Structures are given as structure tokens and as C-alpha cells.
Amino acid sequence: MTKRALVVGVTGIQGRPLADQLVAEGWQVYGLARTPGQQAGVTPVAADLLDPDRLAEALEGVAPTHVFLTTWMRMDTEAENIRVNSEMVRNLLNALRPAGSVEHVALATGLKHYLGPFEAYAKGALPKTPFREDQGRLEVENFYYAQEDEVFAAAEQDGFSWSVHRPHTVIGSALGNAMNMGQTLAVYATICRETGRPFRFPGSQVQWNALTDMTDAGQLAAQMVWASTTPEAKNEDFNIVNGDIFRWSWMWSRLAEWFGVQAEEFDGVERPLEQEMAGDAEIWAEIADRHGLAERDLGRLASPWHTDADLGRPIEVVTDMSKSRNLGFTGYIATDRAFFDLFEKLRADRIIPGA
């Protein structure tokens, strides 16, 4: 029988490549977003997860067998994050309940499961690295936990299976995404090349020297699809990273070489991107006009605050993937290759200029 997928957050950095993979594998795919747009092979569903009545109307007749949750909304406080994001998950699963079609729900969260929410990020007592799924939850309120609890409660009521997926920083392409390091660094490197500014590492000494890892959006998509169709992976939580580890002291020069700029050796002084790029909106608009780029609004391309949070962390962050490996998931991509693939796509889509 045809598997019917509902990808929630289909326009995002995680949802778009996931929908593409499902289409490529022959699934019937619906893509839900407030403004879903057009995507080959995907039936758009325009809905607001915070409007339960209209959400139910939009989902009438969809009847998915598999639901992939890849969206969230950032609020001013963690208490509001919990209230709003749990309500979004609850409204969605309530709206799907009458059809009785759901067999599996896959939820994408992230490493804030181990590092803590925005208000307490990488502070206090943290688990030892590499992070493993059996380390459990921190003793702090976290909207990721609230999202999980909504899925667990609905699964118990409705009888579907679930999986939770915890990527590290995701490498992927999306406009207007709040957490997009790869695209942010691509824009920053382009500005440095176009203006002659030095390509400086904006983060901490710890991140420059310590081991770390990242997650390609395609790698996350592959694991979510695998878990949703593998009996042994049902009702399990999984870390998901690319499979390699690196130091930014090595990666920074790799990125610089790709863009044809000179990487400065890190001198130990943190220069956050939020400060470095604070006055770059007009510069980017001029670059976009000169090269005929598709997006001249810097705010829709770069999220310096989030890149600063990742690159400024005072601790090593390495993730263990033994759990899914032992169950048969074999996906792998080298992180520098993931960056280069993204940069090539950004050039092809006229988001950044060519060489």
C-alpha cells in the first residue's frame, strides 16, 4: 500500500529535504506550512498549527500514515516556548485523530535536549560527551521535552509508534530560517570576499580547538525515514550527526579555501557575528543587486545570533550514534562535503554569487 507522509514544516531547513527524499522513494507526500509554496511531488497544505479549527479543515481527507514533525516556534521565554510548541504538536495530533490513519510519528528536536534550552544553554551541570541517548533529560524545563511528551501521550491514546531525532547544528538551505549556520557562514564569507574584510572565526577558543560534529539535512532526513519504516527503531530516540568529527581550527580554512578568501588564524578574541554583520544589510543588498541574486534581504538569509551560540560554546560537543548504528542505520557524509554541497546549491539557486 502507498505510504502517505505529512511533513510538518515543509518549507524549513529540515522539512524540505525530507519531503524531497520521501518523494524520491515513491511516497505520497503532503507538506504543511503556513505558506507552503510549490515543491515537486508535494501536495501543499496551508495551515497554522495554533489555529485548531482551520487546521482540522485543512487536514480533512489527508489521512497520513506517517507524520514527520520538523517545525517549532521561538518565543521570548522558555515558559512561552513550552506553552506554544506543545500546543502546536497537540493541535496537530488532535486534528489527525478522527481519521485514525497515523501509524508513526517522527519528531525532530536537537542537542538542546542535552545542552539545555536557550535561557540555560550550556550552563550548569551537563552530561559528559559524547552525548548518548541513555543520559536522559536535564533537570530543567525544556520545550523539546514538552514536544516529546505530547507525542508520547498521543501515541499511547491512538496506538501509533514514534521516534525522536536529535540532530546537532543542521547544514541545509532555507530562507527565513532562524537556525542556519551553513547559509550564514556562506553569506559572511561572500561579504568578506566582496569587501576585502578578513574572514575571522567568530567563536570561542574552546570551539576553535575542541572536537565537534554537525548534521547534514539530508542525513537527518535519511534517519527519520529509516526509523519510520524499521520495526526495530519504533518507540526509540536517536542522535543524528554526519558520522565524522572535526575541529574548527581545521574546518575554518576549508571553508575559506572554497570561497577563495584568506582565513585568519584565531587569536583568542571572540568577535561575534552578530556584531561583525550588524551593519551589513546595505552591503548585502548591493552585492545581491550587482550579481543578480535571488534574495537581497540579509535577514532572510543569515542568523548570526544562532551561529554565535554554536561557535561560542564553552564546552566540547560530540555526539554518539551507536544506538542507530547498532539497529542498522548506515548513513554518513563528511561535514566539509556537506558544507560544499550546500554552497554549490546556494550558487545554483542564486542565493550567493558564483566564483
Side-chain angles (χ1 to χ4, degrees), residues 1-5 7 16-29 39-42 66 68 217-230 329-331:
M1 295 179 62
T2 300
K3 296 186 288 292
R4 297 182 305 279
V7 179
R16 180 171 291 275
L18 173 58
D20 285 340
Q21 175 159 338
L22 291 163
V23 169
E25 294 188 12
W27 291 55
Q28 183 178 356
V29 182
Q39 187 172 353
V42 178
H66 295 68
F68 298 88
Q219 175 84 331
L220 172 60
Q223 193 196 60
M224 294 182 77
V225 175
W226 164 81
S228 73
T229 56
T230 300
F329 179 73
T330 59

Coordinates of all heavy atoms in Angstrom, one line a residue, residues 1-5 7 16-29 39-42 66 68 217-230 329-331:
M1 N 0.8 -1.2 0.0 CA 0.0 0.0 0.0 C 0.9 1.3 0.0 O 2.0 1.3 0.5 CB -0.9 0.0 1.2 CG -1.9 -1.1 1.3 SD -2.9 -1.1 2.7 CE -3.7 0.5 2.5
T2 N 0.4 2.3 -0.6 CA 1.1 3.6 -0.7 C 1.2 4.2 0.7 O 0.3 4.3 1.4 CB 0.4 4.6 -1.6 OG1 0.4 4.0 -2.9 CG2 1.2 5.9 -1.7
K3 N 2.5 4.6 1.1 CA 2.7 5.3 2.3 C 2.4 6.7 2.1 O 2.9 7.3 1.1 CB 4.1 5.0 2.8 CG 4.4 3.5 3.2 CD 5.7 3.4 3.8 CE 6.9 3.5 2.8 NZ 6.9 2.4 1.8
R4 N 1.7 7.3 3.0 CA 1.3 8.7 2.9 C 2.0 9.5 4.0 O 1.7 9.3 5.2 CB -0.2 8.9 2.9 CG -1.0 8.2 1.8 CD -2.5 8.5 1.9 NE -3.0 8.1 3.2 CZ -3.3 6.8 3.5 NH1 -3.2 5.8 2.6 NH2 -3.9 6.5 4.6
A5 N 2.8 10.4 3.6 CA 3.6 11.2 4.6 C 3.0 12.6 4.7 O 2.7 13.3 3.7 CB 5.0 11.3 4.2
V7 N 4.6 16.0 6.1 CA 5.8 16.7 6.5 C 5.4 18.1 7.1 O 4.9 18.9 6.3 CB 6.8 16.9 5.4 CG1 8.1 17.6 6.0 CG2 7.2 15.5 4.9
R16 N 12.1 20.5 4.0 CA 12.2 20.5 2.5 C 13.0 19.2 2.0 O 12.5 18.5 1.2 CB 12.8 21.8 2.0 CG 12.9 21.8 0.5 CD 13.3 23.2 0.0 NE 12.2 24.1 0.2 CZ 11.2 24.3 -0.7 NH1 11.2 23.6 -1.8 NH2 10.3 25.2 -0.4
P17 N 14.2 19.0 2.5 CA 15.0 17.8 2.0 C 14.3 16.5 2.4 O 14.4 15.5 1.7 CB 16.4 18.0 2.7 CG 16.2 18.9 3.8 CD 15.1 19.8 3.4
L18 N 13.6 16.5 3.6 CA 12.9 15.3 4.0 C 11.8 15.0 3.0 O 11.6 13.9 2.5 CB 12.3 15.5 5.4 CG 11.4 14.4 5.9 CD1 12.0 13.1 5.9 CD2 10.9 14.8 7.3
A19 N 11.0 16.0 2.6 CA 9.9 15.8 1.6 C 10.5 15.4 0.3 O 10.0 14.5 -0.4 CB 9.2 17.1 1.4
D20 N 11.7 15.9 -0.1 CA 12.3 15.5 -1.4 C 12.7 14.0 -1.3 O 12.5 13.3 -2.3 CB 13.6 16.3 -1.6 CG 13.2 17.7 -2.1 OD1 12.1 18.0 -2.6 OD2 14.1 18.6 -2.0
Q21 N 13.2 13.6 -0.2 CA 13.6 12.2 -0.1 C 12.4 11.2 -0.2 O 12.4 10.2 -0.8 CB 14.4 11.9 1.2 CG 14.7 10.4 1.4 CD 15.8 10.2 2.3 OE1 16.7 11.0 2.5 NE2 15.9 9.0 2.9
L22 N 11.3 11.6 0.5 CA 10.1 10.8 0.5 C 9.5 10.7 -0.9 O 9.1 9.6 -1.3 CB 9.1 11.4 1.5 CG 9.4 11.3 3.0 CD1 8.6 12.2 3.8 CD2 9.3 9.9 3.5
V23 N 9.5 11.8 -1.6 CA 9.0 11.8 -3.0 C 9.9 10.9 -3.8 O 9.4 10.1 -4.6 CB 9.0 13.2 -3.6 CG1 8.8 13.2 -5.1 CG2 8.0 14.1 -2.9
A24 N 11.2 11.0 -3.7 CA 12.1 10.1 -4.4 C 11.9 8.7 -4.2 O 12.2 7.8 -5.1 CB 13.6 10.5 -4.2
E25 N 11.5 8.3 -3.0 CA 11.2 6.9 -2.6 C 9.8 6.5 -2.9 O 9.5 5.3 -2.6 CB 11.5 6.7 -1.1 CG 13.0 6.9 -0.8 CD 13.4 6.5 0.6 OE1 12.5 5.9 1.3 OE2 14.5 6.8 1.1
G26 N 9.0 7.3 -3.6 CA 7.7 6.9 -4.0 C 6.6 7.1 -3.0 O 5.5 6.6 -3.3
W27 N 6.8 7.9 -2.0 CA 5.7 8.1 -1.0 C 4.7 9.2 -1.6 O 5.1 10.0 -2.5 CB 6.3 8.7 0.3 CG 7.1 7.8 1.1 CD1 8.2 7.1 0.8 CD2 6.9 7.6 2.5 NE1 8.7 6.4 1.8 CE2 7.9 6.7 2.9 CE3 5.9 8.0 3.4 CZ2 8.0 6.2 4.2 CZ3 6.0 7.6 4.7 CH2 7.0 6.7 5.1
Q28 N 3.5 9.1 -1.2 CA 2.6 10.2 -1.4 C 2.8 11.2 -0.3 O 2.7 10.9 0.9 CB 1.1 9.7 -1.3 CG 0.1 10.8 -1.6 CD -1.3 10.3 -1.6 OE1 -1.5 9.1 -1.5 NE2 -2.3 11.2 -1.8
V29 N 3.2 12.5 -0.7 CA 3.7 13.4 0.3 C 2.8 14.7 0.3 O 2.6 15.3 -0.7 CB 5.2 13.8 0.0 CG1 5.7 14.8 1.0 CG2 6.1 12.6 -0.1
Q39 N 6.6 22.6 -4.4 CA 7.7 21.7 -4.3 C 7.3 20.4 -5.1 O 6.3 19.8 -4.9 CB 8.0 21.3 -2.8 CG 9.3 20.5 -2.6 CD 9.7 20.3 -1.2 OE1 9.0 21.0 -0.3 NE2 10.7 19.5 -0.9
A40 N 8.2 20.0 -6.0 CA 7.9 18.9 -6.9 C 7.4 17.6 -6.1 O 8.1 17.2 -5.2 CB 9.1 18.6 -7.7
G41 N 6.3 17.1 -6.5 CA 5.8 15.9 -5.9 C 5.1 16.0 -4.6 O 4.7 15.0 -4.0
V42 N 5.0 17.3 -4.0 CA 4.5 17.5 -2.7 C 3.1 18.3 -2.8 O 3.0 19.3 -3.5 CB 5.4 18.3 -1.8 CG1 4.8 18.6 -0.5 CG2 6.8 17.6 -1.7
H66 N 2.1 8.4 8.0 CA 3.4 8.8 8.8 C 3.4 10.3 8.9 O 3.1 11.0 7.9 CB 4.6 8.3 8.0 CG 4.7 6.8 8.0 ND1 3.9 6.0 7.3 CD2 5.6 5.9 8.6 CE1 4.2 4.7 7.4 NE2 5.3 4.7 8.3
F68 N 5.8 13.6 10.0 CA 7.2 14.0 10.3 C 7.1 15.4 10.8 O 6.8 16.4 10.1 CB 8.0 13.9 9.1 CG 8.2 12.5 8.5 CD1 7.2 12.0 7.6 CD2 9.2 11.7 8.9 CE1 7.3 10.7 7.1 CE2 9.3 10.4 8.5 CZ 8.4 9.9 7.6
A217 N 21.3 18.1 6.5 CA 19.8 18.0 6.5 C 19.4 16.7 5.8 O 18.4 16.1 6.2 CB 19.2 19.2 5.8
G218 N 20.2 16.3 4.8 CA 19.9 15.0 4.1 C 20.1 13.8 5.0 O 19.4 12.8 4.9
Q219 N 21.1 13.9 5.9 CA 21.4 12.8 6.8 C 20.3 12.7 7.9 O 19.8 11.6 8.2 CB 22.7 13.1 7.6 CG 23.1 12.1 8.7 CD 23.8 10.9 8.2 OE1 23.6 10.4 7.0 NE2 24.7 10.3 9.0
L220 N 19.8 13.8 8.3 CA 18.6 13.8 9.2 C 17.4 13.2 8.5 O 16.7 12.3 9.1 CB 18.3 15.2 9.7 CG 17.0 15.4 10.5 CD1 17.0 14.6 11.8 CD2 16.8 16.9 10.8
A221 N 17.1 13.6 7.3 CA 16.0 13.1 6.6 C 16.1 11.6 6.4 O 15.1 10.8 6.6 CB 15.9 13.7 5.2
A222 N 17.3 11.1 6.1 CA 17.5 9.6 5.9 C 17.2 8.9 7.1 O 16.6 7.8 7.1 CB 18.9 9.4 5.4
Q223 N 17.6 9.4 8.3 CA 17.4 8.7 9.5 C 15.9 8.7 9.9 O 15.4 7.7 10.4 CB 18.2 9.2 10.7 CG 18.2 8.3 11.9 CD 18.7 9.0 13.2 OE1 18.1 10.0 13.6 NE2 19.7 8.4 13.8
M224 N 15.2 9.8 9.7 CA 13.8 9.9 10.0 C 13.0 8.9 9.2 O 12.1 8.2 9.7 CB 13.3 11.3 9.9 CG 13.9 12.3 10.8 SD 13.3 14.0 10.7 CE 11.7 13.8 11.5
V225 N 13.3 8.8 7.9 CA 12.6 7.9 7.0 C 12.9 6.4 7.4 O 12.0 5.6 7.5 CB 13.0 8.1 5.5 CG1 12.3 7.1 4.7 CG2 12.5 9.5 5.1
W226 N 14.2 6.2 7.7 CA 14.6 4.8 8.1 C 13.9 4.4 9.4 O 13.3 3.3 9.5 CB 16.1 4.8 8.4 CG 16.6 3.7 9.2 CD1 16.9 2.4 8.7 CD2 16.9 3.6 10.6 NE1 17.3 1.6 9.7 CE2 17.3 2.3 10.9 CE3 16.8 4.6 11.6 CZ2 17.7 1.9 12.2 CZ3 17.2 4.2 12.9 CH2 17.6 2.9 13.2
A227 N 13.8 5.3 10.4 CA 13.2 4.9 11.7 C 11.7 4.7 11.5 O 11.1 3.9 12.2 CB 13.5 6.0 12.7
S228 N 11.1 5.4 10.6 CA 9.6 5.3 10.4 C 9.2 4.0 9.7 O 8.0 3.7 9.8 CB 9.1 6.5 9.6 OG 9.4 6.4 8.3
T229 N 10.2 3.3 9.1 CA 9.8 2.1 8.4 C 10.6 0.9 8.9 O 10.6 -0.1 8.2 CB 10.2 2.3 6.9 OG1 11.5 2.7 6.7 CG2 9.3 3.4 6.3
T230 N 11.3 1.0 10.0 CA 12.1 -0.1 10.5 C 11.5 -0.5 11.9 O 11.5 0.3 12.8 CB 13.6 0.4 10.7 OG1 14.1 0.8 9.5 CG2 14.4 -0.7 11.3
F329 N 21.2 1.7 10.9 CA 21.3 2.9 10.1 C 22.7 3.2 9.7 O 23.6 3.2 10.6 CB 20.7 4.1 10.9 CG 20.8 5.4 10.1 CD1 20.0 5.6 9.1 CD2 21.8 6.3 10.5 CE1 20.1 6.8 8.4 CE2 21.9 7.5 9.8 CZ 21.0 7.8 8.7
T330 N 23.1 3.3 8.4 CA 24.4 3.4 8.0 C 24.8 4.7 7.3 O 25.8 4.9 6.7 CB 24.8 2.3 7.0 OG1 23.9 2.3 5.9 CG2 24.6 0.9 7.7
G331 N 23.9 5.7 7.4 CA 24.1 7.0 6.7 C 25.4 7.7 7.1 O 25.7 7.6 8.3

